[in-house]
Structure formats: structure tokens, C-alpha cells
Amino acid sequence: MTQHGGLRELGKAYDPAQAEAHWYDFWHSGGYLKPVDRGRGPFVMVMPPPNVTGELHMGHALFTTVEDILTRYKRMNGYAALWLPGADHAGIAGQWVVERELAKEGKTRHDLGRESFVNRVWDWMEAYQERIKGQLRALGASCDWSRYIFTMDPGPAHAVRVAFKHLYDKGLIYRGERMISWCPRCMTALSDLEVVHSQEASFLWTLRYPLSDGSGFIDVATTRPETMLGDTGVAVHPDDERYRDAIGKHVRLPIMDRPIPVVGDDAVDAAFGTGAVKVTPAHDPNDFEIGRRHGLPAIAVMNTDGTMNDEAGPFAGQTILDARANVVDRLREGGTLIATTPHTHSIGRCDRCDSIIEPMISKQWFVNMAPLAKPAIQVVHDGQIRFVPERFTSVYLNWMENVHDWCISRQLWWGHRIPIWYCADCGAVAATSDEFLIACPGCGSRRIEQDPDVLDTWFSSGLWTFSTLGWPEQTEDLRLYYPGHVMETGYDIIFLWVARMIFLGIEFMGVPPFRDVYLHGTVRDANGQRMSKTKGNVLDPLTVTAEYGTDALRFALITASGPGNDLRLSNERVEQQRNFANKLFNATRFALRAIDMAHIGRDSDGAPLQPVASAMSAPDKWIVSRLSHTIVEVTRLTDAYQLHEAGRQLYEFIWSEFCDWYIEAAKVRLYGDSGDSAVPQTLAYVLERTLRLLHPYMPYVTEELWQQLPHPGDALIVAPWPNPGLRYPADEQSFASIMQAIREVRNARTEHGVEPGRKIAAIVYPGQSSSTYAELRSEFQSLARLDPRRYEIRSGEPIATDRAVSIVTGNVSIFLPLADMIDVDAERGRIEREIEQVLGEIERATSMLANQQFVSRAPEAVVAGHRERLESAEERRSLLEKRLGDLG
RNA sequence: GGGCGCGUAGCUCAGCUGGUUAGAGCGCACGGUUCACAUCCGUGAGGUCACUGGUUCGAGUCCAGUCGCGCCCACCA
């Protein structure tokens, strides 16, 4: 094993573990993972930084695969490819994993205090960052480790403060008392996006509120009876006949026994429930708005920890759910509970901990979105940013056009501290880009205190495309690598992350941070279920990789489904791709034996020369031509982000065309006595380019094998992307026709029960294809397993041969005199069926060609194709009919 | 209440810009130990492309509608 590529012993089967350990080091230590200017300018992709909360999962394996393919592809195409890795401190999720650890020791973060708790989280982050780096390497990620960066590193932290101050100074960040989503378990405010809504079964309770003047009552329907303790009004639709007279009157709130007004408001749906709504401005976003319109006070009856407060009177101290039950009981006893109806409605839960979210009025920091959204909509509208697949464009626009202000403060300890300081003396509020403020900028007082809250983790993520490059410093990296080209991530974080990178990129850098947004789907298990630890259906990338190899996992992931679609992964699927890697490995072993014995010419770069056309026979030209075709297709598909389809075509080309047909045909000349051939040259040429083509998709096995072959340069990872070579249409066709004939002979053999090993006689009337059959005589003989002494190629019209199976393929007649194995009647039946088929073909083609519309409107080539087809079908029919006549 | 995706062989999915008789892998059936590979090779069976209508010379592919499944967004008590 040499440090610099070089020859390694190839075993009998591909051993991924050995190759992976060796080649990753080779790439890394060779400096190939850093961007190197090769004249085509930069290609930049910033990695979505994994949360440092644990192990990598299959979603990470998927994004690594896609991004690594794109990076390797661009690198081979001569771009200074920068794939910038990093990790995210994961705010609330990061805090939570450490809190859970503490819980095992019977402690809470409050037992430690803020400072030592944060230190504890840092310990976790440092340990797990190393793990995550190792896991990314194991997946073959060819990212630039010299630029690896963490969201809490000094650079990004400084960027966060500078960005905050800038937005604050510009009036785009403000502090206000608003209705926000509150998680009573995490004890923090959340943004709308961190609340997951789902339909859950519950009840609709109807409560009776008596009018204060004794003239009757109003029934209200609610899903949250416990909030009635904080009711400060009842709302009805102003046009609702039933309640029109009540507007302006008061009702007496049961239990709390206080008068609250009845108001008329358009927001009330007269058709729902009783048409009257209790109004709790402190605990419902709708009620908050209604209350504001009518000047109703907001009485908060809950604490931030999910219990009732003193305003809840007799229920103070109870949990919300207990209070609900008790309030309902109490109302029932008092006769004011009128009905309890089963009802499913939407419940919001915390994205992290699944607790039920409470809407609460709270003083928080917000980003004023309207001015930022405007240009972020524009750049997508005018095509500066493109989504792949395209359908996500409208998803993005729809969200951005209706975006609400973004609540960015979190009552957590772990994260970027809000860079705002309050002066105890003069009451000044000061934003700073420094880590600490010594004195109040207003009055010079030292009695200042920093806001205790931290920022939403996505605030720093939103700056990631430039904070990673040194911003706000005007670094060389920033100048060279901003804006980037592709942002690859999951469709589930379009709003959380992609949208925010776009408007923050525009705000701070003046131009959008990337051009193409490639979105991948979710990796599911074999049954289409989301993988989760509780379900126990998780496939761990490293376990799978250890068993089948990284290349196998990557290829399984990439070929499973296209961009934007979810995909199913199973061990069987990975195993299939392991087999593919092994197939390629063995094909190369085969080729190497032939190549080692031949003197293979090289071009000026060291790549094997294209074999001399005059020395090539049809199979050589066929495979070279097919390779050229595959290069064109894989290039086109990779450029179009159709990586799954590119992968499939590579699979087809390598397994079916190269291995099953070319190598099998090549053996005839290699092992035969035909003397010199272009086979070793062709093998070297085709294989070397094929490995280059496959390298982004299967980096390890290709590097391993390529190093064994004559090749240009030192490392496949930086070898030039192959240009399509020559096409040989005539040879492609002639070999394809021989392939078809071979298949038909094999078919006939199987149908007639000929033992696989037995060599049989054959008489071929090739007609116009005589030169093809003459040239490929040995290949045909060998692959169809014919007896050389009883294999004849005859000219002229086919002459009946008794007791023979007859095959008509193209315009060629083949007779297999199988004597006693032939049942004449069955043979006649078979031919009749074939004639029927051909007649159908003839009819279709004839009617199409008779159709004036078709002939005049369809493209020339399509019409010509049908003409040719008709011609050959006619010929085929006459051959078949003659044969039928001969059978008597 | 809006929006999106999916429905193609028993299963999982391709089919990219509409153009022969719709493909792959797995599974199934039959048969194979020749010196690249049994992690393999050969042959085969299997599909009214969810349904209805339309556009077109031509539709799995484009349009409209229907049915079924899934997802996203939205402050309907």
C-alpha cells in the first residue's frame, strides 16, 4: 500500500472497509478536498450543518451523498469546488439533550446554574462534533475540512451580533408584547414554525353565561373550558339576529362571578357552535385580536410552567389539564354546563418535546419581516434563485408572501445571547456587536445587564452562507466564494432555513446567497414508515456502511428516487448495490489481466489512448460508442440534477452493456486464436473513462480500481471529467443485431430443452448482413454455443432445412437443426404466431404512413423510422411465410 | 379553507423535452460449477400505465374532472 495511490493487491471480492480507510486519507492528505483553481472559477456549496445532538442518521447520509456527487462532479469539471462543512449548536435541541443527561443524574440545569450548565453543553458539543466529523468522512464527504466551522465559534458568533445590531439599528428588529407560542416544558417562546399542529380528538363544551340584567343567557362553545377563568368578554356576530339585542349588555361569568361585556365582532362565525364565543384575550390569538378591537382587558390565568396562577382563583396551582377537569365539574354542578360534544380540533405541540403549546402574551424580540420578504420574493420571481424540483417555488413564495414577524428570542441558556444591554440607571437599551459591554453608552453607568435570552438557532443558520466565510470581515474567502451556487437540503426546512438564508443574504450581502436550491426528500424504511427510534425501524448509516460499503449505501440512496421525493431504503436495496460495486470490481480484475499483457498507449495526460479504429472490431466500436452515449447522458443528467437517472444509466451501462455483452464478446478474441486484437486497448480505454464517470457516485471503489489502470494524473478525485469519444452508429447497429440474434438462439435452446453445455448446429442466411455475420462469426458461435463444425453461413435465399427450429431476426434467417427435439406441429404454430405479430406490426405502420396528417406533421425522422420498420417487417413476413410453406 | 405530491408488472420504483411493441431491481418459474464475479450467468412468465373526458397526426407523458393514498400551509371558538 503506497501513500500515493499505487498498486494494491486486489482480492477476489471488493473489500470496502480496506479501500475506504485508505482512500479517504489519500484524498485528505493529498490536499484534494480543498478548492483549487483550475481555470473554471469557483463552485461553492455550503453544507447544511448537522445538529450536534447525537449521531448522524440516514437523512445526513442522503444529503452527504447528493452534495458529494455534485462537488466531485464539479471538481472533475475543473471548478475550484468548495464544499464547506460545519455543525450547528441546535439551540433548544442542544440544550435538551444535555438536560436529559442531567435528568439521569437527578439534576436540572438550575442546579448547575447558567454558567456551568453552558460549560456542560460545550463539553457535549465538543465530543459530538468529533463524532460527526468522523461520520461524514465515513460517508466519503469530500468537503474542505480546513474550513470546518461551528455556529458557536467566535467568527459566526461575532457575525450574529453584527447582524443583530444592524437590523436593530435599522428598525428591523424590535421588542414587543405579542401573543406568541409558549412551550411550558421548554419554558421558552417558539416561532410559528416550531409548533406542529395535528388534529386530535377532544370535546366541545357548551357553557351558559347568564345576562346580568336577568333577561336571559348566552351559551358559548369552547374547546378550552379552563380558560373561561380569564374571560373578559363574549363575542357574537353583529348581524346575528339571536344576539343582536345582547350586544352592549353584560353577562356574569360563572365561578369568577364577574360581569363581562357582550361585543359584536365580524370574526365570529354565527354558524359554528352556538354562534357566541367566550373571549380570553390572554390565551388565544383570535381572542387577543377581538379583545384589542373592543378594549377588553387580558387576564392571564396561567403560569409559564403550565400551571394555573392566582388569577385562576380556586384552581390556582393546578395543572392546566387538572384545572380543565375541575372547571368542568364545577360548571356541571352549577348547572351552567349545557353540553359536552365530541370534537376533533387542531392542537399545537412543541416540535422538540411534544408538549402542548400555550398561546401567551409575552415580551419578545421580533424581526420585522415585511421589508425583508419583499426582495426575497423578487429574486425568486425573476429567476435569480431556482428550486429543484420546481414545484417548491410556489411553496416558498406562498409562505414568503404571507410571512409573519419572526419571534427570535428564546428563554434558553444555550445559544447566541441577545446582544442587548439594559441600563439600570438611565433605562437605555443598547445593542452592541461586542461580546461584552462595559458601561452604558447613554449615561456611562456600569449598572448594566445583558438581556438574558438567546436567539433562535435559525438566526445564526440564516447567516451561514457568509458568516462561514469570515463576514463581516472582507476576507478573501468572502470575495471568492460568495455567492455560492447550490444549496442542497431537505424540503422540510424551506421556511426554517432556506427562506431565512435568502432574505438575510440579500440584506447583508446585497445578492442572494445561491442560485439553485436542490431539495431532497425523507428517507423511510422498507414499508414507507418514517424512521424513528421509538418504532425501532432505524437503519444506522454506519452500520449499513460497515456491512455493505459506503459506495453501496450511497448508490442505493441516490438511485432510489428523484429530487424532492421521499424514498424507501432497505438492506436488500443496499445489498444489490454492494453487488454492483463487486461486479465492477471483478470486471476490472478481468480487464487488468488482459491489459497487463498488452502494451497500452497513453495520451499526453497518461490516459489510455483510444484504440486504433482499424484494429477494432464491431464489439469494440460498439462499446466505445455506447460509452460515448453514456458520457453524454450522465453529463446531461448530472447537470440537470437528475442524479437518480444518471445512476441508473451508469448501472445499466456497466452491468448490462459492458459486463454482460462486451466482456463476454471480448473473451472470444482474448482466449481465441485470432491473434492481435484491440481488446486490451478497448478495455483499458472504456474502463478508465467509465470509472471517471462513476466516481462522483461511487468514489471509493472507483478510486481503488482506477489506480490500478493506466490513468492520467495522480488521483481519480481530480481527474478530468470524460469528454464523449467517437460514435460508431453502424457498428452499434450491427453488434446490436448480433446481440438480438444470440438472444433468440438462446431462447430457442431453452424452449426446446437443449442442455446449456451442448453445442448445436446452425445454418445462417444473413442476407444483407453477411459482412456482420462474417466479422462476428466467432462471437456469435461462442455466445450462442454453436458447434463450429456444424455452423454454416450461407448466401442467397434461405432454403428449408427439415426438422429445424427457425428464427427470423431482422432480415436474417437462422435454422437450428435440432432433429428429434423438434415437433413440427408446434414449430408451425410458433411461426404462425410470429407471422400474426408481424402482420400487426405491418398494419400499424401501414396505417400510420397512409395517414396524411401524420406524414406531413410528424418530424422527418419519426416518419422515416416507420418506413424502415415497415420495410423490415415485410421482409420478415416473407421469410416467415416461406418457412411455413417449407414445413408443408 | 388553501396548496402540493403520488396512483405504471406480485413488491419497490424509473420513464428527464409527447414519437416504435412501456423499462429496471427484487420476487417468481425453469436451467446452469468454463479460468472476472454464485455478491454470478442464461431463459421466461407477469402491465386495459387509477378512472372519465379533452388537446394532438400521435398521450404513461399535456389539459380538465372524478376516485383513492400521503404531505405542507392556515390564529375556525
Side-chain angles (χ1 to χ4, degrees):
Chain A
M1 203 185 282
T2 66
Q3 179 51 36
H4 157 134
L7 287 180
R8 289 149 44 80
E9 274 298 303
L10 293 187
K12 209 173 163 185
Y14 174 54
D15 176 5
Q18 223 191 36
E20 289 166 19
H22 179 74
W23 294 112
Y24 199 92
D25 279 352
F26 170 75
W27 296 327
H28 187 56
S29 59
Y32 300 119
L33 307 184
K34 293 183 193 172
V36 172
D37 187 5
R38 291 186 187 79
R40 298 217 36 196
F43 170 79
V44 182
M45 183 164 46
V46 177
M47 179 188 291
N51 284 351
V52 190
T53 49
E55 313 286 329
L56 255 43
H57 53 68
M58 274 301 169
H60 295 111
L62 176 58
F63 92 58
T64 303
T65 302
V66 175
E67 293 174 25
D68 194 49
I69 288 170
L70 295 175
T71 302
R72 287 177 189 268
Y73 174 69
K74 291 293 182 178
R75 189 184 288 124
M76 292 177 80
N77 273 283
Y79 292 88
L82 170 59
W83 182 19
L84 206 161
D88 195 287
H89 67 284
I92 190 166
Q95 175 162 324
W96 204 42
V97 288
V98 177
E99 281 187 301
R100 249 189 344 209
E101 266 207 340
L102 282 177
K104 286 183 204 151
E105 305 164 20
K107 291 189 205 153
T108 71
R109 67 184 148 117
H110 300 284
D111 296 332
L112 301 199
R114 184 161 188 159
E115 195 176 330
S116 79
F117 176 76
V118 167
N119 285 337
R120 178 99 183 226
V121 183
W122 268 111
D123 291 343
W124 169 285
M125 292 288 150
E126 270 153 20
Y128 274 88
Q129 273 190 73
E130 285 314 307
R131 271 175 104 126
I132 283 172
K133 286 189 209 171
Q135 291 176 328
L136 288 169
R137 278 191 284 267
L139 291 166
S142 66
C143 49
D144 179 4
W145 293 107
S146 72
R147 287 181 169 81
Y148 175 88
I149 192 158
F150 180 49
T151 48
M152 293 289 276
D153 282 348
H158 182 233
V160 163
R161 292 189 299 268
V162 171
F164 186 99
K165 182 171 175 1
H166 167 95
L167 293 170
Y168 178 79
D169 291 345
K170 218 173 153 180
L172 291 172
I173 283 182
Y174 65 92
R175 192 174 190 221
E177 199 149 44
R178 296 292 149 94
M179 171 98 13
I180 48 89
S181 296
W182 182 269
C183 174
R185 211 287 322 166
C186 301
M187 294 278 278
T188 180
L190 299 173
S191 71
D192 303 344
L193 293 173
E194 291 159 293
V195 181
V196 187
H197 291 270
S198 60
Q199 294 292 317
E200 297 186 19
S202 175
F203 297 94
L204 190 63
W205 287 273
T206 307
L207 318 181
R208 176 159 294 174
Y209 291 2
L211 285 157
S212 300
D213 62 6
S215 64
F217 51 80
I218 294 182
D219 289 346
V220 296
T222 181
T223 54
R224 307 213 43 198
E226 72 281 11
T227 63
M228 63 85 66
L229 303 170
D231 281 2
T232 56
V234 166
V236 297
H237 194 94
D239 301 335
D240 193 331
E241 300 288 339
R242 295 171 292 177
Y243 303 115
R244 185 175 292 169
D245 294 342
I247 296 174
K249 293 183 177 176
H250 284 72
V251 294
R252 269 211 102 64
L253 184 63
I255 301 177
M256 303 310 281
D257 197 36
R258 67 171 175 256
I260 54 176
V262 179
V263 300
D265 196 287
D266 289 339
V268 178
D269 176 2
F272 186 89
T274 61
V277 193
K278 58 191 267 321
V279 182
T280 322
H283 296 289
D284 182 279
N286 276 318
D287 294 5
F288 180 74
E289 292 303 322
I290 294 175
R292 220 165 49 168
R293 284 196 285 272
H294 301 279
L296 304 177
I299 302 174
V301 295
M302 292 170 197
N303 294 310
T304 53
D305 64 354
T307 60
M308 307 304 287
N309 68 15
D310 291 345
E311 293 288 347
F315 308 97
Q318 299 182 7
T319 66
I320 294 170
L321 285 180
D322 286 347
R324 174 176 304 174
N326 294 332
V327 165
V328 168
D329 282 349
R330 182 75 173 268
L331 292 170
R332 188 180 291 119
E333 287 161 17
T336 52
L337 177 68
I338 301 306
T340 306
T341 332
H343 180 68
T344 48
H345 67 125
S346 171
I347 302 265
R349 287 178 180 273
C350 174
D351 187 22
R352 270 311 137 200
C353 73
D354 212 39
S355 305
I356 293 178
I357 292 301
E358 290 300 332
M360 288 204 185
I361 298 170
S362 174
K363 200 175 208 185
Q364 301 288 343
W365 289 94
F366 295 88
V367 174
N368 174 9
M369 285 302 302
L372 293 166
K374 213 175 153 206
I377 290 166
Q378 190 56 36
V379 295
V380 170
H381 260 306
D382 65 21
Q384 289 184 62
I385 291 182
R386 261 186 359 174
F387 285 85
V388 179
E390 214 182 318
R391 65 173 186 270
F392 289 108
T393 308
S394 59
V395 176
Y396 167 88
L397 286 174
N398 183 49
W399 184 79
M400 203 56 124
E401 280 160 3
N402 298 294
V403 70
H404 298 321
D405 282 358
W406 173 18
C407 175
I408 50 170
S409 43
R410 296 290 179 275
Q411 288 64 51
L412 304 171
W413 287 353
W414 175 242
H416 296 284
R417 190 96 176 245
I418 291 180
I420 288 280
W421 296 71
Y422 305 103
C423 176
D425 288 324
C426 71
V429 176
T432 174
S433 56
D434 295 330
E435 197 173 353
F436 299 102
L437 202 59
I438 307 297
C440 171
C443 68
S445 164
R446 304 217 157 202
R447 301 206 310 135
I448 53 169
E449 217 169 308
Q450 187 171 10
D451 193 299
D453 291 352
V454 301
L455 288 163
D456 181 359
T457 192
W458 296 104
F459 189 88
S460 59
S461 312
L463 310 173
W464 202 232
T465 55
F466 47 92
S467 65
T468 50
L469 297 171
W471 186 88
E473 261 48 76
Q474 292 306 305
T475 59
E476 181 75 352
D477 268 13
L478 192 63
R479 191 179 64 73
L480 279 174
Y481 301 125
Y482 190 98
H485 300 85
V486 178
M487 173 46 59
E488 196 282 344
T489 191
Y491 63 65
D492 51 337
I493 54 175
I494 294 177
F495 311 139
L496 280 169
W497 194 39
V498 178
R500 285 156 179 177
M501 282 188 287
I502 293 174
F503 66 72
L504 291 172
I506 296 170
E507 174 66 19
F508 289 105
M509 298 298 296
V511 289
F514 32 72
R515 230 207 90 76
D516 294 343
V517 178
Y518 177 107
L519 297 162
H520 62 250
T522 306
V523 184
R524 297 165 179 277
D525 75 2
N527 300 314
Q529 299 290 308
R530 261 196 140 82
M531 292 186 184
S532 79
K533 280 185 191 156
T534 45
K535 281 186 206 149
N537 62 347
V538 173
L539 284 177
D540 168 47
L542 261 42
T543 310
V544 172
T545 286
E547 183 168 2
Y548 301 104
T550 296
D551 289 340
L553 174 60
R554 290 169 54 123
F555 213 68
L557 286 168
I558 207 64
T559 54
S561 193
N565 295 334
D566 291 355
L567 59 100
R568 298 188 189 197
L569 188 74
S570 60
N571 279 323
E572 293 70 47
R573 236 191 133 96
V574 182
E575 187 181 344
Q576 184 191 323
Q577 306 307 344
R578 187 262 325 251
N579 296 351
F580 175 52
N582 188 56
K583 184 76 181 175
L584 178 65
F585 179 86
N586 276 294
T588 306
R589 279 207 310 147
F590 168 83
L592 280 169
R593 289 211 309 211
I595 291 166
D596 285 349
M597 285 187 266
H599 179 74
I600 305 289
R602 317 277 190 93
D603 68 18
S604 55
D605 292 326
L609 282 174
Q610 173 144 6
V612 184
S614 60
M616 293 161 84
S617 72
D620 304 324
K621 291 181 180 168
W622 174 79
I623 195 66
V624 165
S625 204
R626 296 308 300 157
L627 171 67
S628 297
H629 172 255
T630 306
I631 292 173
V632 169
E633 282 296 286
V634 171
T635 304
R636 180 180 69 82
L637 290 163
T638 308
D639 281 331
Y641 299 108
Q642 302 288 318
L643 308 183
H644 64 301
E645 186 59 20
R648 283 188 158 97
Q649 294 212 16
L650 280 161
Y651 186 98
E652 278 297 303
F653 173 73
I654 290 168
W655 201 312
S656 307
E657 300 195 305
F658 184 66
C659 293
D660 289 348
W661 284 101
Y662 181 70
I663 287 184
E664 292 310 314
K667 283 177 184 171
V668 174
R669 277 171 296 155
L670 225 42
Y671 297 149
D673 48 9
S674 54
D676 280 351
S677 77
V679 166
Q681 285 77 7
T682 306
L683 284 169
Y685 172 85
V686 171
L687 202 47
E688 193 274 329
R689 275 163 180 77
T690 300
L691 291 171
R692 277 195 257 166
L693 206 55
L694 183 64
H695 179 255
Y697 294 81
M698 291 190 140
Y700 288 115
V701 70
T702 51
E703 183 81 70
E704 170 97 341
L705 297 173
W706 185 85
Q707 294 285 351
Q708 307 281 336
L709 290 163
H711 60 251
D714 298 324
L716 176 55
I717 189 172
V718 290
W721 186 252
N723 290 316
L726 295 174
R727 295 295 292 266
Y728 300 97
D731 297 274
E732 266 196 66
Q733 234 194 347
S734 65
F735 191 63
S737 71
I738 287 287
M739 283 163 63
Q740 187 52 32
I742 291 166
R743 282 195 199 101
E744 301 215 22
V745 173
R746 286 171 174 172
N747 175 340
R749 294 174 57 113
T750 309
E751 300 259 293
H752 291 88
V754 178
E755 303 83 3
R758 180 165 152 205
K759 295 186 174 175
I760 58 172
I763 298 150
V764 178
Y765 291 90
Q768 293 156 341
S769 307
S770 59
S771 62
T772 301
Y773 277 79
E775 185 189 353
L776 295 169
R777 186 189 165 103
S778 351
E779 282 84 357
F780 186 65
Q781 174 196 305
S782 166
L783 299 179
R785 297 206 65 79
L786 305 178
D787 179 350
R789 288 157 307 169
R790 296 187 296 142
Y791 164 34
E792 296 174 46
I793 300 175
R794 295 184 189 165
S795 56
E797 287 288 296
I799 294 162
T801 309
D802 209 15
R803 307 203 59 80
V805 175
S806 57
I807 294 166
V808 177
T809 169
N811 309 325
V812 177
S813 284
I814 299 168
F815 296 100
L816 308 177
L818 293 174
D820 49 321
M821 305 181 105
I822 302 303
D823 172 341
V824 177
D825 285 338
E827 187 63 8
R828 193 179 292 123
R830 199 175 59 78
I831 292 171
E832 277 166 356
R833 278 194 302 280
E834 272 192 59
I835 290 175
E836 232 169 89
Q837 243 179 26
V838 173
L839 285 176
E841 223 173 289
I842 289 172
E843 206 198 301
R844 269 192 302 277
T846 311
S847 73
M848 285 195 87
L849 290 167
N851 182 341
Q852 250 341 95
Q853 301 278 18
F854 170 70
V855 176
S856 61
R857 297 196 191 184
E860 193 71 24
V862 175
V863 179
H866 281 276
R867 285 220 180 81
E868 273 172 40
R869 220 161 299 129
L870 177 60
E871 224 171 282
S872 80
E874 293 280 15
E875 210 163 326
R876 202 170 136 75
R877 175 174 69 161
S878 76
L879 288 168
L880 284 165
E881 278 172 350
K882 180 166 193 310
R883 176 60 187 158
L884 196 61
D886 290 344
L887 276 178

